[in-house]
Amino acid sequence: MQTNNPFDRKIELQKGMPSFVRDAAIELTDTLDLCWAAVQAVFEDSATPEHALTLLPMFMTRADEKRQQLLDDLHAQRGGESGQS
């Protein structure tokens, strides 16, 4: 992804956007960019955007699983104190 790109310009203009929406958009876009780099590394000149889009849910699922595991571990370390993860 180029340094000067439409996504970054649009995010910069959306100052009133809730931070959780902004963070999710940035995380998703960065992950898609990472998927694109991954398929280019494997398929080289044959890589297509569709390859990256196929990987995206797998990357996001894996990240969510790791995030949930960290939350579960933290909850267990605190002795199962009440509160929602």
Side-chain angles (χ1 to χ4, degrees), residues 29-51:
T29 302
D30 288 347
T31 304
L32 180 56
D33 191 43
L34 183 62
C35 289
W36 179 236
V39 298
Q40 288 177 307
V42 173
F43 298 108
E44 298 176 349
D45 291 340
S46 298
T48 67
E50 291 76 17
H51 291 135

Side-chain angles (χ1 to χ4, degrees), residues 63-80:
D64 288 341
E65 288 169 353
K66 292 291 188 181
R67 186 181 355 247
Q68 187 59 53
Q69 184 61 53
L70 288 171
L71 289 172
D72 291 347
D73 291 349
L74 180 61
H75 184 70
Q77 288 174 0
R78 291 184 174 174

Side-chain angles (χ1 to χ4, degrees), residues 10-24:
K10 187 68 171 178
I11 282 287
E12 186 60 31
L13 292 173
Q14 300 295 321
K15 301 277 187 205
M17 179 186 303
S19 62
F20 68 91
V21 174
R22 178 188 199 88
D23 292 347

Side-chain angles (χ1 to χ4, degrees), residues 47-65:
T48 67
E50 291 76 17
H51 291 135
L53 291 171
T54 299
L55 279 184
L56 183 61
M58 293 180 231
F59 272 58
M60 296 305 290
T61 297
R62 180 73 177 190
D64 288 341
E65 288 169 353

